[in-house]
């Protein structure tokens, strides 16, 4: 099994551009989340989903959109990139978050110039 | 929002030494998870704790669920160079149920051979 797959691994955007970070999991996990990691700030939750068709906001949702049309995929959309969105983005999934925790992808390093 | 405070923020230790780190919250948690992040990778689950007072080991790692339910501790015995990385505590946001996990700011461990 591939686990959680994120693409691309690296991306440079110009301010104002839009793009979609892809996330796919092949473990039939219901729960999926997006986090961003910035130096000294740990991992902060952007959006999460508890199943296909159900999403909700996390701690830092502004400037990002998500959708969950299938169990496998949970893309993160940057609507109009800003330098403050320069970060490393992680997608994670879980079968039962309390008892198994989240399985993370290897991340997308995004730079907005 | 909820915050998990980890200490120390970073530490340098000699190979073979024991390491202790902790995670504290102002709210009660019913689950504590400890993750390790290697450079350039996503976090990987090390240990999960579900009951106050619980002590769980995974090889040279031992974690404890604090009896107040507001803290957790991670110990690494006889450290080796591959223990280098960032250690995160995490738990379900007490105000939001089990779907939203929040992470601490991390303890960065550097091992001197």
């Amino acid at each position: 099994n591939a686990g959680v797959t994120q693409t691309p691994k690296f991306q440079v955007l110009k301010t104002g551009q839009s793009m979609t970070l892809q996330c796919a999991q092949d473990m039939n996990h219901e729960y999926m989340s997006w986090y961003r990691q910035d130096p000294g700030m740990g991992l902060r939750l952007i959006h999460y989903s508890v199943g296909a068709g159900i999403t909700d906001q996390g701690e830092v949702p502004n400037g990002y959109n998500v959708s969950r049309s299938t169990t496998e995929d949970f893309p993160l959309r940057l609507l109009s990139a800003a330098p403050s969105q320069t970060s490393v983005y992680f997608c994670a999934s879980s079968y039962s978050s309390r008892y198994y925790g989240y399985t993370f992808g290897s991340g997308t390093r995004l730079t907005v110039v | 929002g909820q915050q998990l405070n980890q200490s120390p923020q970073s530490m340098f230790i000699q190979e073979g030494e024991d390491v202790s780190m902790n995670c504290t919250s102002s709210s009660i948690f019913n689950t504590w998870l400890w993750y390790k992040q290697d450079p350039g990778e996503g976090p990987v689950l090390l240990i999960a704790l579900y009951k106050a007072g619980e002590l769980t080991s995974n090889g040279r790692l031992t974690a404890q669920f604090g009896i107040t339910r507001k803290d957790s501790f991670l110990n690494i015995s006889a450290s080796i160079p591959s223990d280098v990385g960032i250690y995160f505590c995490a738990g379900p946001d007490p105000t939001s149920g089990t779907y939203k996990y929040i992470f601490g700011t991390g303890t960065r461990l550097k091992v001197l051979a």
Side-chain angles (χ1 to χ4, degrees):
Chain A
N1 287 341
V4 179
T5 302
Q6 291 185 239
T7 56
K9 289 191 178 301
F10 301 95
Q11 183 70 47
V12 178
L13 288 179
K14 293 182 178 179
T15 298
Q17 286 185 316
S18 63
M19 79 159 294
T20 299
L21 307 186
Q22 301 292 343
C23 175
Q25 52 91 9
D26 61 359
M27 299 172 283
N28 201 32
H29 286 173
E30 289 295 323
Y31 307 149
M32 296 187 75
S33 295
W34 276 101
Y35 290 87
R36 61 176 288 173
Q37 183 175 25
D38 302 295
M41 303 194 72
L43 292 154
R44 293 183 293 170
L45 182 64
I46 304 171
H47 286 285
Y48 67 101
S49 170
V50 300
I54 306 170
T55 64
D56 206 346
Q57 297 181 347
E59 183 183 356
V60 287
N62 292 341
Y64 307 96
N65 273 359
V66 292
S67 60
R68 185 98 179 269
S69 56
T70 66
T71 299
E72 295 78 18
D73 300 302
F74 191 42
L76 178 72
R77 298 182 186 83
L78 279 70
L79 309 173
S80 177
S84 61
Q85 293 178 304
T86 294
S87 187
V88 181
Y89 292 85
F90 288 100
C91 179
S93 72
S94 176
Y95 172 71
S96 170
S97 58
R98 181 179 189 220
Y99 293 103
Y100 298 98
Y102 275 88
T103 300
F104 282 80
S106 58
T108 295
R109 184 174 295 274
L110 176 68
T111 302
V112 182
V113 297
Chain B
Q2 294 291 326
Q3 283 195 330
L4 294 178
N5 300 307
Q6 289 188 245
S7 65
Q9 287 187 327
S10 64
M11 53 172 41
F12 284 87
I13 61 168
Q14 294 284 342
E15 183 177 357
E17 286 184 348
D18 295 344
V19 175
S20 293
M21 61 189 76
N22 65 60
C23 180
T24 60
S25 168
S26 58
S27 300
I28 289 174
F29 277 68
N30 61 12
T31 299
W32 287 100
L33 303 179
W34 283 93
Y35 285 83
K36 182 195 177 193
Q37 184 180 27
D38 290 326
E41 299 294 329
V44 174
L45 182 64
L46 297 174
I47 293 176
L49 302 161
Y50 305 113
K51 295 189 302 186
E54 181 179 354
L55 193 69
T56 298
S57 294
N58 178 3
R60 294 177 296 105
L61 277 62
T62 301
Q64 184 166 21
F65 195 135
I67 57 173
T68 67
R69 298 174 62 191
K70 292 183 177 182
D71 53 13
S72 181
F73 310 90
L74 178 69
N75 295 314
I76 305 173
S77 63
S79 58
I80 59 178
S82 63
D83 290 333
V84 165
I86 305 175
Y87 292 80
F88 291 103
C89 61
D93 187 334
T95 64
S96 305
T98 61
Y99 311 122
K100 291 176 65 174
Y101 263 71
I102 57 175
F103 282 75
T105 51
T107 292
R108 186 181 296 271
L109 181 63
K110 301 182 183 181
V111 180
L112 305 174

